[in-house]
Amino acid sequence: MSSAFRFAMLISATKWGAKSLICLYVSVLTGIVLALQYDPATPFFSVGSIDLLAPFGAFWRAGHFYSSQLFFLFSLMHLWAVFLNKKDEMTPGKWLLLVLSLPAALLLLFTGYVLRADATGEAAGMIAENITLAIPVFGKGLNSLLFAIEEEGMKRVYTNHLIGLGVFWGICCWDHLRRYRVQVKEHGLLVGLMFVFSLLVMAPMEPGQLGVFHIQGPWFFLGLQEALRYIHPFWAGVVLPSTVIVALIFIGLKRDWRGALLSFVVIWLGSYALLSVISALR
Amino acid sequence: MARGYLWLQWLAGALLLYPVMKFIDFSPPKKPRLVKVLKEVAINGFVVEHDFILFVDQDGPRAISRKCTHLGCRLNYQTRENVLLCPCHQSRFTTGGRRISGPAPKDLPSYPVTKMSGNEGPGYVVSL
């Protein structure tokens, strides 16, 4: 048995979906605790106070940060395992909703970065706003719906992070989650490790400093940050990321195209990873 | 009949989007913001504020926006090369706001500056 085959077996046999959901539970729980202290009117000061002054503030923020990261990563692993298992039992409508839950999860993660309003968060928020505004016809409305940081500060980003995107993600996954029950007690080790890690390692925070001439966005944003150097924001920030989502949607709609579409997704991810590495090395 | 009703329901839902988007799109008019820089800046000196950098030279004070015209990242002043540099995609601008290189499409805007004196104390008022 080759090592690649064993690795694929391991990926397909692991219950990534259950792990992802457990991480989401922890993320929601820690998020609720954080929201009781966070003030979107003074976001950076608020996050700084939580980290440095509030008792156990750094722990709760780290718990929210790392569980959210794991939630997204395990969701991706879950999708990969689905492809390896070659399950074809889903209706196109349900598949469409589940694929749409991915950009919703990514936006949840992204708005979390923006809300901390440090150097990275502030820049990432402004970039996202300007990319959205670059969309013809619908850009202004979509920006008003999702970001509007320039006009409204963190108000709408916070609303979407707390309610809008979470509800949208829930609608997308509702039917899927009703069918699969996950017991927290079966994942005690994962929950325990997350809390211990959060006690030991603080969540990142990068205060804006004079004389900083290079900042890097969140890890999932690096490839996009690099692409934006060469390509117009609408193409780099909207069209290119949309192609992979559309390809994933059509994998569930057109069974005959599955091989070609999967190849496209793999090439897309490889290219994005390469761009991310180039950006990280700058 | 049921199919016709379904179509109507979708239409009603879509029509509801219009007032929703108009509501979200509204932002109350904002007053011009005045930012005070409460110190005297020496000739060829500068002060970095959140939204602008105030330069003072022989011709007087000028406030240049720190918002990059590419994607809105906040610029910093690199004294060694005497340029404003975007930390996100490395667009470069002169201290007068003129674009030198990088993906930024336009020059930086500047803001009106008034020098304070007398009882108001030394300093500048920048109108954003």
Side-chain angles (χ1 to χ4, degrees):
Chain A
M1 196 187 288
S2 72
S3 55
F5 182 74
R6 274 203 299 269
F7 182 65
M9 288 289 287
L10 181 70
I11 296 293
S12 60
T14 306
K15 291 183 174 176
W16 297 109
K19 291 185 192 307
S20 173
L21 196 57
I22 293 295
C23 292
L24 180 64
Y25 290 162
V26 176
S27 172
V28 170
L29 175 76
T30 49
I32 290 169
V33 176
L34 275 182
L36 298 174
Q37 280 285 357
Y38 180 81
D39 181 3
T42 54
F44 182 66
F45 177 78
S46 183
V47 175
S49 304
I50 288 171
D51 257 2
L52 302 171
L53 302 175
F56 297 103
F59 164 70
W60 289 114
R61 199 169 81 79
H64 188 58
F65 179 84
Y66 294 116
S67 58
S68 306
Q69 303 281 324
L70 284 178
F71 155 65
F72 183 66
L73 286 171
F74 288 160
S75 297
L76 295 182
M77 296 301 287
H78 179 49
L79 183 65
W80 186 11
V82 167
F83 287 140
L84 288 173
N85 287 330
K86 295 182 178 166
K87 285 181 182 169
D88 281 325
E89 62 207 27
M90 209 170 282
T91 63
K94 285 175 183 171
W95 175 255
L96 173 71
L97 282 176
L98 284 177
V99 173
L100 288 179
S101 76
L102 273 182
L106 189 68
L107 270 174
L108 270 168
L109 206 60
F110 180 76
T111 45
Y113 268 97
V114 174
L115 283 175
R116 73 185 194 210
D118 60 352
T120 314
E122 189 186 35
M126 290 313 298
I127 290 173
E129 174 154 344
N130 281 284
I131 287 173
T132 313
L133 286 170
I135 300 172
V137 186
F138 303 107
K140 193 165 176 285
L142 204 57
N143 179 55
S144 300
L145 188 68
L146 290 173
F147 303 112
I149 300 168
E150 186 78 18
E151 287 289 327
E152 305 283 345
M154 291 296 169
K155 196 167 74 182
R156 292 187 183 179
V157 179
Y158 187 53
T159 308
N160 285 317
H161 186 73
L162 212 63
I163 306 165
L165 289 167
V167 168
F168 182 73
W169 185 92
I171 291 169
C172 290
C173 295
W174 178 253
D175 187 67
H176 190 61
L177 296 181
R178 273 196 318 166
R179 290 198 289 160
Y180 302 102
R181 295 282 169 202
V182 179
Q183 296 286 326
V184 176
K185 63 186 175 192
E186 290 172 12
H187 298 272
L189 183 65
L190 176 62
V191 175
L193 281 175
M194 265 190 286
F195 279 124
V196 170
F197 192 78
S198 305
L199 269 174
L200 300 174
V201 186
M202 282 179 77
M205 183 74 166
E206 295 159 54
Q209 292 173 331
L210 294 179
V212 172
F213 301 112
H214 180 63
I215 54 175
Q216 288 178 335
W219 61 269
F220 52 84
F221 203 69
L222 285 179
L224 175 58
Q225 187 176 353
E226 188 63 23
L228 283 165
R229 284 173 183 272
Y230 321 110
I231 310 172
H232 186 272
F234 173 64
W235 291 97
V238 180
V239 177
L240 283 181
S242 299
T243 56
V244 75
I245 298 297
V246 171
L248 284 172
I249 289 170
F250 273 92
I251 285 174
L253 300 181
K254 298 274 184 190
R255 303 279 189 242
D256 301 344
W257 300 358
R258 187 187 172 111
L261 289 169
L262 271 178
S263 304
F264 173 78
V265 171
V266 170
I267 291 168
W268 192 97
L269 288 175
S271 309
Y272 193 81
L274 183 67
L275 280 173
S276 302
V277 170
I278 294 169
S279 180
L281 292 176
R282 278 188 185 277
Chain B
M1 190 68 182
R3 185 174 282 271
Y5 273 122
L6 190 67
W7 182 82
L8 268 177
Q9 282 169 7
W10 278 103
L11 183 69
L15 282 176
L16 198 62
L17 276 178
Y18 181 74
V20 169
M21 291 312 293
K22 290 299 280 185
F23 176 76
I24 294 169
D25 217 18
F26 172 78
S27 59
K30 290 196 166 56
K31 287 189 282 187
R33 197 155 57 93
L34 299 178
V35 178
K36 285 184 179 176
V37 179
L38 294 171
K39 62 177 172 184
E40 185 79 42
V41 182
I43 299 287
N44 295 327
F46 68 96
V47 173
V48 180
E49 292 285 329
H50 186 260
D51 294 307
F52 60 86
I53 303 182
L54 180 76
F55 293 100
V56 178
D57 60 18
Q58 305 289 354
D59 299 328
R62 64 180 185 279
I64 305 295
S65 167
R66 284 185 71 195
K67 192 181 159 193
C68 182
T69 53
H70 179 216
L71 292 168
C73 294
R74 217 160 286 288
L75 302 159
N76 272 321
Y77 177 44
Q78 194 179 49
T79 48
R80 196 159 43 102
E81 293 183 41
N82 195 32
V83 292
L84 301 179
L85 187 59
C86 174
C88 294
H89 302 103
Q90 273 66 50
S91 289
R92 287 163 175 262
F93 302 86
T94 65
T95 55
R98 193 169 51 78
R99 178 192 169 274
I100 303 170
S101 63
K106 291 187 290 189
D107 295 344
L108 297 169
S110 59
Y111 302 114
V113 186
T114 314
K115 198 163 190 287
M116 293 192 296
S117 57
N119 288 339
E120 291 177 304
Y124 309 85
V125 179
V126 179
S127 178
L128 301 180

